[in-house]
Amino acid sequence: MHNIACERVDRTPGGPSRIEVADTFADMFRKALALSMVLVGAVAHAQLGDGQQTFTHADTLRGSIGPYRAWWNVVGYDVTVRPDFETRSIVGRTIIAFDAVEAGGRMQIDLQQPLVVDSIVTDFAEFKDGAIAVSYKTIPFSREENVIWVDLPQAMKKGEATTITISYHGVPRTARNPPWDGGWIWKKDEQGNPWMSVACQGLGASVWYPCKDTQSDEPEYGANLHITVPDSLQAIGNGRLRNKQKNSDGTTTWNWQVKNPINTYNLVPYIGKYAHFHEDFVGVKGPLDLDYWVLAFNEAKAREHFKQVPLMLKCFEEWLGPYPFYEDGYKLVEAPHLGMEHQSAVAYGNKYQNGYLGMDLSGTGRGLLWDFIIIHESGHEWFGNSITTADIADMWVHEGITQYTEVIYTECQQGKEAAEEYVIGLRDKIGNRSPVIGPYGVNQEGNGDMYPKGANLMHTIRHIVGDSTFKAMLLEMNRRFYHKVVTSAEIEEFMVNFNVRTGLLDRSVFDQYLRTTQIPVLEWGIRKGTLWTRWTNCVPDLMLPVILNQKGEFPVLMLATSNWGAFPYADKKQPRLEADRNWYIESKPLSKRELRRRKPHIGRGTPLF
């Protein structure tokens, strides 16, 4: 027996997890339907807050934009690191260039223990000998767990800019199970050579360098990364290699530059015994450099397997728009973990096989015809790296839409029916134990359902609005939010208001799939020439169009709601109707007796076409 209670939910970032009144719905739907006004009496509790999670002051410092983060804006990072493989330690220096968006003087800098700050200096302007002189001044700081509090020698005014330079050292947290349990990775390759990198999404870039560790503030002028390693190894970073500097102690410093804004967790070093090869891709914006850095003994295998990359880029540029980082190029770098979407330097560790470590996550076999890491992690260049959510509670925008890029690539490669099979197959991975959107302001993601459930939400939306509108919407989304930091609410609003066709898409659909764990159930039945429908197990005023198919008949897209709707239906017999499989819903046909017992209120609904 399905729970027919329908929740009202709050969609406001930073808002409470308690139940709130949902927004009113589009007038066009109210005019299209004469809805009954019966409210469902019971309330189902499926909110994340029911998980009884407790958050600390440290969680709030990390996950929110408090007063000592809000007044300053990162302009650029310049990160220098020298790892020691034998002692598992690093020595580093980070220069943070920033400007003041409001007046302020105290800064929150994130650096996770047990790393130790040695000194902090800042540019300091003073009037000296009849002129303004700029010098470096050591400034005081204190530590509170993983936060460094910095007090500038004089408060900054709005519009002023300066830098601080932080020197540090120590033994960073070691990744126990990267990329899921992150940190610095110290491994050896199959031939015994040192192989090092970092995986820190969620955990945070502050696990290895000091920064403003939030997705909400990307450095608009990019970052520099300087990696010093023994001469026998190669050091790969994001963006483009500017030069290599040979040092007198048997080491070389590799200098990389990223010109575009970049998430702090995406800036990473890769260090190992690498070989390099290159190809050119003619994209929609012109030539795009494709560079591959792989363990030297895997070069031949990589040259064959990575032929998938140009095919992927061609498909994604058609559906999503230009690759977002032409200035920095595209790279695949073999990594000592499965993979990660490190911007312009995608981590690859799928062992040169198709699928996800040789498995198809959909269970259909469709995912065994392409490499999951190449397709999924590269899809993040559009969703996650170019379009970035301010709070990781909204990470479905990264992961759900990126999982849908797997569907898009399957369609490019194998056709539309195969793509539908793939995304529908992913539903078996959805647990619905807590909502997709997590609590705001505490550095906490929502449920892992954000991947398959987010993808199936996108697939449902696609079939509500139609293929051509959906494709145009993805292209415009990437144009409008190019290199932007967003919220889920902004992306939802964009999709709802994209064009006349997306007027069929109501805000309640996002509340249903992102903010509750309930899968809507379509109850329907035929009585006296009338088709009765309603949604149950849903938010109270759910408006979700759905296609009903009858064998041998033309499918009808109709708007079902959480109140009983009545549609004229010529066939008085109970037909074999079924909801279109592309909707992530459940369907429950009712007999005439069951329908009579439920006594639906008289109301009239209208097929949309």
Side-chain angles (χ1 to χ4, degrees):
M1 181 78 179
H2 289 290
N3 181 353
I4 65 170
C6 298
E7 295 180 328
R8 296 184 184 275
V9 297
D10 172 38
R11 63 167 66 91
T12 307
S17 60
R18 61 187 174 85
I19 294 171
E20 295 286 351
V21 177
D23 290 348
T24 56
F25 299 100
D27 288 340
M28 64 175 289
F29 290 128
R30 295 196 181 281
K31 294 175 182 177
L33 295 174
L35 299 174
S36 66
M37 300 305 292
V38 177
L39 295 177
V40 179
V43 174
H45 295 280
Q47 295 301 297
L48 186 64
D50 294 336
Q52 301 298 317
Q53 281 185 290
T54 301
F55 297 103
T56 66
H57 175 60
D59 295 323
T60 300
L61 284 176
R62 173 63 199 285
S64 63
I65 303 301
Y68 306 113
R69 276 178 162 178
W71 69 268
W72 58 283
N73 165 68
V74 179
V75 174
Y77 287 106
D78 189 284
V79 179
T80 299
V81 66
R82 179 172 181 153
D84 187 312
F85 186 81
E86 299 303 322
T87 63
R88 303 295 196 264
S89 64
I90 62 175
V91 176
R93 184 197 68 192
T94 295
I95 302 172
I96 305 176
F98 65 97
D99 54 23
V101 295
E102 299 292 344
R106 168 162 264 223
M107 306 175 70
Q108 174 187 333
I109 305 294
D110 303 292
L111 183 66
Q112 296 182 34
Q113 297 174 319
L115 292 175
V116 177
V117 173
D118 299 312
S119 66
I120 302 179
V121 299
T122 186
D123 293 339
F124 183 71
E126 58 183 340
F127 191 77
K128 187 176 181 180
D129 298 329
I132 294 178
V134 177
S135 59
Y136 290 102
K137 184 179 181 67
T138 301
I139 54 178
F141 62 89
S142 60
R143 179 183 278 279
E144 180 184 356
E145 297 179 334
N146 293 325
V147 167
I148 306 298
W149 297 109
V150 178
D151 292 295
L152 299 177
Q154 62 185 31
M156 294 177 63
K157 298 176 182 177
K158 181 178 180 179
E160 292 182 334
T162 190
T163 67
I164 60 170
T165 301
I166 305 169
S167 299
Y168 63 101
H169 74 281
V171 177
R173 168 177 167 154
T174 297
R176 293 186 290 269
N177 184 29
W180 302 279
D181 187 347
W184 195 283
I185 303 166
W186 312 92
K187 286 189 177 181
K188 288 187 177 181
D189 66 24
E190 294 174 20
Q191 296 184 349
N193 302 303
W195 196 14
M196 296 169 272
S197 189
V198 175
C200 57
Q201 184 182 21
L203 174 63
S206 57
V207 75
W208 76 278
Y209 72 94
C211 58
K212 189 178 186 179
D213 206 355
T214 169
Q215 291 182 175
S216 64
D217 191 357
E218 297 182 345
E220 49 259 51
Y221 293 108
N224 296 319
L225 180 56
H226 315 280
I227 315 163
T228 299
V229 297
D231 290 341
S232 59
L233 301 175
Q234 290 73 43
I236 317 307
N238 309 76
R240 296 185 182 276
L241 179 64
R242 292 308 174 189
N243 57 66
K244 295 184 291 183
Q245 178 183 338
K246 192 170 178 61
N247 305 314
S248 60
D249 60 355
T251 64
T252 298
T253 301
W254 296 62
N255 300 302
W256 297 83
Q257 183 182 38
V258 179
K259 289 189 174 181
N260 289 293
I262 185 170
N263 299 332
T264 54
Y265 79 83
N266 269 332
L267 187 68
V268 298
Y270 301 89
I271 301 160
K273 195 76 171 179
Y274 283 112
H276 169 246
F277 61 98
H278 170 92
E279 65 177 320
D280 297 313
F281 175 76
V282 180
V284 297
K285 289 177 66 175
L288 172 63
D289 290 321
L290 308 183
D291 288 282
Y292 309 102
W293 293 84
V294 300
L295 294 179
F297 54 83
N298 283 330
E299 182 178 353
K301 192 185 302 183
R303 283 182 179 273
E304 180 62 29
H305 193 71
F306 288 174
K307 288 179 180 179
Q308 296 187 36
V309 171
L311 300 175
M312 172 272 299
L313 287 169
K314 181 179 180 181
C315 174
F316 284 177
E317 288 206 323
E318 176 189 344
W319 274 86
L320 310 176
Y323 173 73
F325 307 107
Y326 269 72
E327 301 86 350
D328 295 321
Y330 172 92
K331 286 197 296 298
L332 273 183
V333 186
E334 190 167 358
H337 60 84
L338 180 60
M340 185 60 68
E341 65 266 24
H342 300 144
Q343 183 176 311
S344 70
V346 171
Y348 178 81
N350 202 35
K351 303 183 185 303
Y352 302 99
Q353 57 189 326
N354 284 343
Y356 180 97
L357 291 175
M359 301 176 291
D360 175 17
L361 294 181
S362 76
T364 65
R366 298 297 185 178
L368 293 176
L369 299 181
W370 42 266
D371 188 306
F372 177 91
I373 293 300
I374 293 176
I375 304 307
H376 180 89
E377 304 303 344
S378 297
H380 274 305
E381 295 282 47
W382 285 263
F383 297 102
N385 298 348
S386 178
I387 301 175
T388 306
T389 58
D391 194 306
I392 66 172
D394 286 336
M395 286 283 282
W396 83 272
V397 175
H398 295 202
E399 302 298 354
I401 305 182
T402 295
Q403 182 130 65
Y404 199 74
T405 66
E406 301 164 27
V407 182
I408 289 171
Y409 185 72
T410 301
E411 183 168 341
C412 288
Q413 183 192 57
Q414 303 170 48
K416 189 173 181 181
E417 184 176 349
E420 291 177 356
E421 290 177 8
Y422 181 80
V423 70
I424 291 168
L426 293 174
R427 293 174 189 170
D428 287 341
K429 299 292 189 293
I430 302 174
N432 284 316
R433 286 179 289 273
S434 60
V436 166
I437 290 183
Y440 292 97
V442 289
N443 196 51
Q444 180 69 37
E445 296 178 2
N447 190 279
D449 285 347
M450 70 177 77
Y451 292 80
K453 191 173 180 181
N456 272 279
L457 169 60
M458 294 299 292
H459 194 62
T460 300
I461 290 170
R462 174 178 179 174
H463 286 80
I464 291 171
V465 304
D467 287 350
S468 60
T469 292
F470 183 77
K471 187 173 185 179
M473 184 174 68
L474 290 179
L475 289 165
E476 176 60 17
M477 187 187 302
N478 279 285
R479 187 198 68 80
R480 186 173 303 184
F481 298 110
Y482 178 79
H483 293 180
K484 292 288 196 307
V485 175
V486 301
T487 65
S488 176
E490 288 178 293
I491 295 299
E492 295 166 39
E493 193 71 16
F494 165 79
M495 286 195 268
V496 167
N497 294 309
F498 175 64
N499 66 14
V500 173
R501 179 71 183 182
T502 61
L504 301 175
L505 178 62
D506 192 81
R507 291 172 179 83
S508 61
V509 173
F510 295 100
D511 287 340
Q512 180 72 46
Y513 289 100
L514 300 178
R515 298 177 176 90
T516 83
T517 60
Q518 298 168 300
I519 302 307
V521 177
L522 181 68
E523 291 188 346
W524 62 271
I526 307 291
R527 185 183 175 202
K528 296 181 179 180
T530 299
L531 169 64
W532 294 90
T533 67
R534 73 166 176 180
W535 291 112
T536 64
N537 210 41
C538 62
V539 293
D541 293 304
L542 177 64
M543 280 190 174
L544 175 56
V546 62
I547 284 182
L548 290 178
N549 297 306
Q550 181 179 359
K551 188 174 182 180
E553 298 292 331
F554 190 78
V556 176
L557 177 63
M558 58 176 52
L559 180 62
T561 76
S562 55
N563 300 299
W564 283 110
F567 302 84
Y569 203 86
D571 188 352
K572 294 184 180 182
K573 297 180 181 179
Q574 190 82 340
R576 296 187 63 181
L577 286 173
E578 60 180 20
D580 192 291
R581 68 173 188 162
N582 293 296
W583 269 251
Y584 178 42
I585 62 170
E586 296 178 1
S587 178
K588 184 178 182 180
L590 302 176
S591 67
K592 293 180 181 180
R593 179 177 298 178
E594 289 174 310
L595 195 62
R596 189 183 311 115
R597 188 167 60 245
R598 298 191 185 217
K599 296 179 179 178
H601 287 255
I602 299 300
R604 301 307 270 175
T606 305
L608 296 178
F609 58 77

